Amino acid sequence: MLGAMQGWTMRVTRVIDHAAREAGSREIVTRWADGSETRTDWAGIRRDAKKMAQALQSLGVKEGDRVASLAMNHSRHLVSWYGVAGMGGVLHTVNPRLFEDQLEFIANHAEDRVLLYDAMFQPIVDKMRDRWTTIEHYICYDSGEHNPAFEDWIAPYGEDFDWVEGDERDPCMLCYTSGTTGNPKGVLYEHRSTVLHALVGLQPAAFNFSASSVMLPVVPMFHAASWGLPYAGAMAGIKFVFSAVNEPAVLDELMKREGVTDSAGVPTVWLAHFQYCDATGTDLPKLKSATIGGSAAPKFMIERLMKNGTRVQHAWGMTETSPIGTVGGPTADWDQLSFEEKVGKTAMQGRPVFGVELRTVDLDDMSTELPRDGKTSGALQIRGPWVIKRYFKAEEDAVDADGWFDTGDVGILHPDGTLQLTDRTKDVIKSGGEWISSVELENAAVGHPAVAEAAAIGMPHPKWDERPVLFVVKKDGADCTGEEVTAFLVDKVAKWWLPDAVEFVDDIPHTATGKISKKDLRARFADYTLES
C-alpha cells in the first residue's frame, strides 16, 4: 500500500522558485573584482537563470552535459547554479587554485562543454584553452573583451521558460576533490541529496537562517558547493552579500555597510581580518554567527569572536559529504557552562545533523568499532543521504558493504555525539606505539604571540619510530626561539607530545583549497633526520 500524499520531486529548481515567489525582492549584492557593485534580488536570479537555461540550449547543451564555472562569489555565478540545473545540465565548479595538470585533468575528465569564467582568470583560460579538449564555448561573467559577456549572452531570451523536469536522483552539480594524492576525484551531487542537505542547513543547530539573515560567504562557490549556502539561503530567502575578492578591508567594509549578520570561511580568513582590524584600529564587525570550516580554529580565535558577541560554530565535512557532516551549535547544557567551557566545546567540530551517521574504528583494525567515550580516537567513517557512494566514472563504490565511507580523518566521539577531530589518518604521528595529534600540536603553537603559522609532521626516529617536528612561520616583526615555543607548549599538550625540534621556515606549503600540505612539507624536508 502506498501513502496518500502528493508526489513532489525534490529538484533544486523548486528552491529558486520558492525564493523568487516568497522573497523575490530580497537583495543579492555583489562587489566585483574591479571595485564596482551590482544589486539584484531573488526574482532577478530566477529570471536570469531561466534566460541562461535557454542560452545553454541554444549552444546545443543537452540534459546531463557538464557546464563548468571558473569563478569567485557573485550573483552571476549564483544564477549559473540554478540555470544549468534548470535545463537539466550539471554545473562543474572548477577551483582556480588547482595546478595546471589538475585543471587539465578535471575539465577533460568531466567532459565539460561550456566554460563560464571571471575576467580575472583570463590568463588561466588563455594558458589552458588548447589543453581543454572538450570545451566548445567560453563565456565571460564580467567582460566581453575576449569572449561573449554573460549579460549579452542571455539578453535575447525571456523569462517564459519551463524548467526541465526529471528524476530527483538526476545529477545537478559536480565537484572535484583537491587531489592530495593522485588525480582529483569527481563527486556528483544529486537534486535530491542537494535539497535534503539544504533543508538540514537551515536548522538552528546548523546555519540557523531566517528571513532577516544577511550572509557574506567567504567560502568560495567553487569549493564543496560553498557548504550548501546558496541553496539554504534561497530556501530561507536571506540577503546575500558576495565579494569576488577576499581582502580584509573589502570584507570589513561590506559587512558593516550591508548589515551582515552571518559569515562563513576558513580560519585564515578570520586571522587576516583580526590583523586588519588591529593594524587599522577598527572594531570587528558585530556578526551574530561565524561558521568556521576547512581546518580547526585555534582557541584564541574562538575566544576573540565570542567576546565580540559572535556565535562561533565549527563545521566539519568534505567534498564527499556535500559537505555538512557536523556543526557546532549550542548544546543542551550551554547556559550552564562557563566561558572557558564554552570555548573548549566550540573548539570541537560539533554534532551530526539529522541524516548523518558517524562512527570511529580502530586505526590498526578497521573492523573494530570504537566506543563514544570522549577519549578513544580512531578512523572516522560516515554515511547518509548526501554522502558519496561512488566517484564520478569510477568502476567501484567508495563505501563498504554497509555504506560506510572512510573520511581519512581521525577523531574522538563524545557521549553526546560531539566530534573532536584530532588528525588525518595519513598525518597522525605514531611515537612508541602511541598516537600524537599533529593538528592539536599546531593549534596550540599558533597561540604563541610570535607564531603566524605552524605545521607538525612525524619524522623517523631510531628509538620511537616517529617523533614530531614543528615547522613555524613567525609573524612579521616578531621573534622567538625554538626553546621559547616548546616552553609555551608545556602546559598545553601532553609532555610526550612536545616536539623534538622546532624549525623556523619562511613559508609552509598549502593545497589548492588552502589547507596545509603535509605531503609537500615532507617532500621539502625528506632528508631531515632526528638523533636518538
Side-chain angles (χ1 to χ4, degrees), residues 65-142:
D65 284 349
R66 272 73 68 193
V67 175
S69 64
L70 185 71
M72 298 299 289
N73 294 3
H74 51 72
S75 60
R76 291 169 196 160
H77 201 180
L78 181 64
V79 166
S80 302
W81 283 44
Y82 293 103
V84 175
M87 55 74 54
V90 178
L91 179 67
H92 171 204
T93 52
V94 178
N95 184 343
R97 299 168 185 160
L98 292 175
F99 303 116
E100 289 181 18
D101 288 348
Q102 293 174 317
L103 288 170
E104 177 182 6
F105 173 81
I106 64 171
N108 294 337
H109 186 263
E111 299 178 81
D112 296 325
R113 294 193 58 196
V114 179
L115 176 71
L116 300 115
Y117 68 96
D118 288 351
M120 70 168 73
F121 300 128
Q122 187 69 49
I124 295 177
V125 172
D126 293 341
K127 186 175 292 186
M128 299 301 301
R129 196 162 187 157
D130 290 339
R131 297 168 66 176
W132 285 331
T133 59
T134 64
I135 298 177
E136 305 163 20
H137 306 280
Y138 292 82
I139 310 294
C140 187
Y141 279 120
D142 51 342

Side-chain angles (χ1 to χ4, degrees), residues 139-290:
I139 310 294
C140 187
Y141 279 120
D142 51 342
S143 172
E145 183 177 353
H146 300 283
N147 288 293
F150 183 83
E151 294 288 291
D152 295 335
W153 176 55
I154 67 171
Y157 305 96
E159 195 173 354
D160 186 15
F161 174 79
D162 293 329
W163 300 124
V164 171
E165 295 293 340
D167 193 279
E168 62 184 21
R169 301 301 296 269
D170 288 343
C172 63
M173 180 174 280
L174 178 63
C175 294
Y176 279 76
T177 64
S178 57
T180 53
T181 56
N183 286 320
K185 297 176 181 178
V187 181
L188 197 60
Y189 303 147
E190 303 169 348
H191 284 263
R192 175 180 181 271
S193 68
T194 301
V195 172
L196 287 172
H197 180 271
L199 283 168
V200 168
L202 295 177
Q203 291 186 43
F207 297 123
N208 195 30
F209 283 155
S210 69
S212 63
S213 299
V214 182
M215 161 61 77
L216 191 160
V218 186
V219 53
M221 295 175 74
F222 58 72
H223 176 61
S226 194
W227 301 353
L229 292 167
Y231 297 119
M235 285 184 176
I238 71 171
K239 174 181 174 179
F240 267 120
V241 180
F242 292 121
S243 178
V245 295
N246 291 333
E247 298 168 6
V250 173
L251 298 180
D252 188 76
E253 193 270 335
L254 284 172
M255 287 179 178
K256 292 171 180 174
R257 168 163 55 89
E258 297 296 332
V260 170
T261 60
D262 301 80
S263 191
V266 297
T268 52
V269 168
W270 304 106
L271 285 173
H273 211 137
F274 289 174
Q275 293 167 1
Y276 167 78
C277 290
D278 292 342
T280 58
T282 59
D283 294 329
L284 285 170
K286 292 293 184 181
L287 300 179
K288 292 182 180 178
S289 174

Side-chain angles (χ1 to χ4, degrees), residues 6 61 64 75 139 296 305 326 353 357 396 411 418 423 436 456 510:
Q6 295 183 19
V61 178
S75 60
I139 310 294
L305 287 168
T326 62
V353 293
E357 297 178 55
E396 297 180 354
T418 298
D423 223 319
I436 298 174
H510 292 80

Side-chain angles (χ1 to χ4, degrees), residues 1 33 68 86 127 173 243 309 317 319 326-327 359 361 437 449 469 485 520 522:
M1 181 175 68
K127 186 175 292 186
M173 180 174 280
S243 178
T319 305
T326 62
V327 185
R359 72 173 185 178
V361 297
S437 168
V469 174
V485 173
D520 291 334
R522 290 190 192 96

Side-chain angles (χ1 to χ4, degrees), residues 493-516:
V493 299
K495 184 176 180 180
W496 55 277
W497 281 27
L498 292 173
D500 275 27
V502 176
E503 301 290 346
F504 294 99
V505 293
D506 293 332
D507 67 280
I508 290 173
H510 292 80
T511 67
T513 54
K515 298 178 182 178
I516 292 174

